Amino acid sequence: MKRGIAVLVSVSALCGIAYFTASKWAIKHETITFYDASRDNRPVPVQIAVRRDKEMQANAGMITLPVAVINHGNTVKNTEYGFLANIFAARGYMVLSPQHDLPTDPPMVTKPGELYVGRLPQILRGVANIHLAVQEMKKVQPNADYDKVTMVGHSMGGDITMYFAKQYPDEVKKVVTLDNLRVPFVTAGKFKILSFRSHDPQFKTDAGVIPTDEECEKAGIQVVKTEFQHNDMRDTGPDVAKSSIQGMLDKFLSATDSEVGPVDTHSSPPKILEPGPVALMAPAKS
C-alpha cells in the first residue's frame, strides 16, 4: 500500500501543478455567519467554497449546483479542511462547512457506557447547525440542490455526518467520512458511502461502528484502511496523507457524480470541466 501511495503522490506532484495554480484562483472561499433564533440567536459561521464560473452559471439560472456539507472534528475549526473542500468545489459543488462548536460552549464531557459515549448532545447540535446552514443558504444561493446533499465529516464531524444520514436519509445523496469512531454506519444501501480509516492506537473505533465486509458489499460501502494517523486527515496533516485521500475521493466522485453533477436548465447542457489531476493542497491558515 505504501508503494501505491508513493506512486499516487509522485503522479500528483508532477501532473497537478497547473491544475492547482488554476484552481487556487478559480475557487472562491468566503464565510457567512447565520443566527439561529430558536437557540437564542446562536451564531453559526459557515465557510463556503465554490468555483467562480459555476457560481456565475448558477446565478444566471443555467445550472443547479450540487451541495456538499463538510463537518469538522471536535475542537477543530471549520476552515481546516480546505483540501477536501477544493476537491468538491473543483467538480462544481457548492461546499458548506459549518462551525459546530464555539469558544463559549461548555467542554464536551464523555460518558462511557452511554450512547455514543455521551456525545449525543454535540451531535444533535451539529445536525441543527447543518439544517440552519442549508435553510439560510437557500436565500443566498437559491440555484443549488439542497434536497439531496453530500455529507462529509472527520472524527466527531464524521459521527455527525453518519447520524445525520441515519436520521434524514432522504436528504442525503452520498456520504464520506474520515474516522467516524462512535456512530455506526448506515447500512440501508440508500446511498453510497466512502470511509477512510486511520491506523492510530490513540483513536480506536468503537465496536459495531464499521460493518462486516459482506454488509459493506451489499450496502455499497467502501472502507479504505490507511496507515495515516487520525489527525493527519485535515489541512495540518502531511501532504502524503492529504494527496492520497484526495486521489481516492476524486475517484469516488468520478464514479458517482453522474447523478449529482450540475443540472442544466436549458436544452443543451454546458460542458462540465474536469478538475484534472489531483493536486497537493497547501494547509489552510486558521
Side-chain angles (χ1 to χ4, degrees), residues 220-256:
I221 298 172
Q222 181 180 354
V223 176
V224 179
K225 296 180 180 179
T226 77
E227 294 298 318
F228 307 133
Q229 298 294 299
H230 179 81
N231 287 325
D232 288 346
M233 298 177 168
R234 60 180 197 258
D235 285 349
T236 54
D239 286 342
V240 64
K242 292 180 291 185
S243 183
S244 177
I245 291 170
Q246 284 178 319
M248 288 180 274
L249 174 59
D250 192 61
K251 183 177 179 180
F252 173 75
L253 295 176
S254 295
T256 57

Side-chain angles (χ1 to χ4, degrees), residues 45-278:
V46 179
Q47 187 185 61
I48 302 161
V50 64
R51 255 175 60 175
R52 297 178 187 275
D53 60 332
K54 294 304 176 186
E55 182 181 43
M56 292 176 62
Q57 292 178 19
N59 289 339
M62 298 173 62
I63 61 172
T64 300
L65 297 168
V67 176
V69 178
I70 298 180
N71 301 293
H72 63 83
N74 183 44
T75 72
V76 178
K77 293 183 179 180
N78 62 333
T79 56
E80 292 189 44
Y81 297 89
F83 83 106
L84 295 176
N86 285 338
I87 287 294
F88 283 98
R91 285 193 162 272
Y93 283 74
M94 182 176 68
V95 185
L96 311 180
S97 302
Q99 180 64 43
H100 293 307
D101 48 33
L102 302 173
T104 53
D105 290 334
M108 181 174 61
V109 179
T110 58
K111 299 177 182 179
E114 291 192 6
L115 185 63
Y116 313 135
V117 199
R119 301 187 182 198
L120 185 57
Q122 285 75 24
I123 293 173
L124 293 176
R125 182 175 66 199
V127 170
N129 292 339
I130 294 168
H131 276 142
L132 175 71
V134 167
Q135 290 301 317
E136 293 300 317
M137 280 303 300
K138 290 179 180 180
K139 306 171 188 176
V140 177
Q141 177 51 271
N143 295 322
D145 183 9
Y146 301 102
D147 294 332
K148 291 279 189 178
V149 303
T150 295
M151 294 294 300
V152 187
H154 171 232
S155 193
M156 170 65 84
D159 287 327
I160 293 172
T161 290
M162 201 63 74
Y163 186 90
F164 187 99
K166 180 181 180 180
Q167 298 298 319
Y168 305 98
D170 294 336
E171 299 178 21
V172 175
K173 189 64 180 181
K174 51 194 169 188
V175 168
V176 178
T177 68
L178 301 91
D179 253 11
N180 58 301
L181 304 176
R182 312 297 179 185
V183 179
F185 282 56
V186 178
T187 57
K190 290 189 174 183
F191 35 74
K192 298 292 183 181
I193 297 176
L194 171 66
S195 183
F196 298 93
R197 317 306 304 179
S198 73
H199 184 70
D200 191 330
Q202 294 185 355
F203 293 87
K204 295 183 179 180
T205 306
D206 288 350
V209 169
I210 303 175
T212 64
D213 291 344
E214 292 75 15
E215 289 174 321
C216 286
E217 183 176 359
K218 183 178 180 180
I221 298 172
Q222 181 180 354
V223 176
V224 179
K225 296 180 180 179
T226 77
E227 294 298 318
F228 307 133
Q229 298 294 299
H230 179 81
N231 287 325
D232 288 346
M233 298 177 168
R234 60 180 197 258
D235 285 349
T236 54
D239 286 342
V240 64
K242 292 180 291 185
S243 183
S244 177
I245 291 170
Q246 284 178 319
M248 288 180 274
L249 174 59
D250 192 61
K251 183 177 179 180
F252 173 75
L253 295 176
S254 295
T256 57
D257 270 353
S258 60
E259 299 178 4
V260 299
V263 179
D264 176 38
T265 56
H266 297 278
S267 56
S268 57
K271 183 179 180 180
I272 305 302
L273 300 177
E274 290 296 326
V278 176

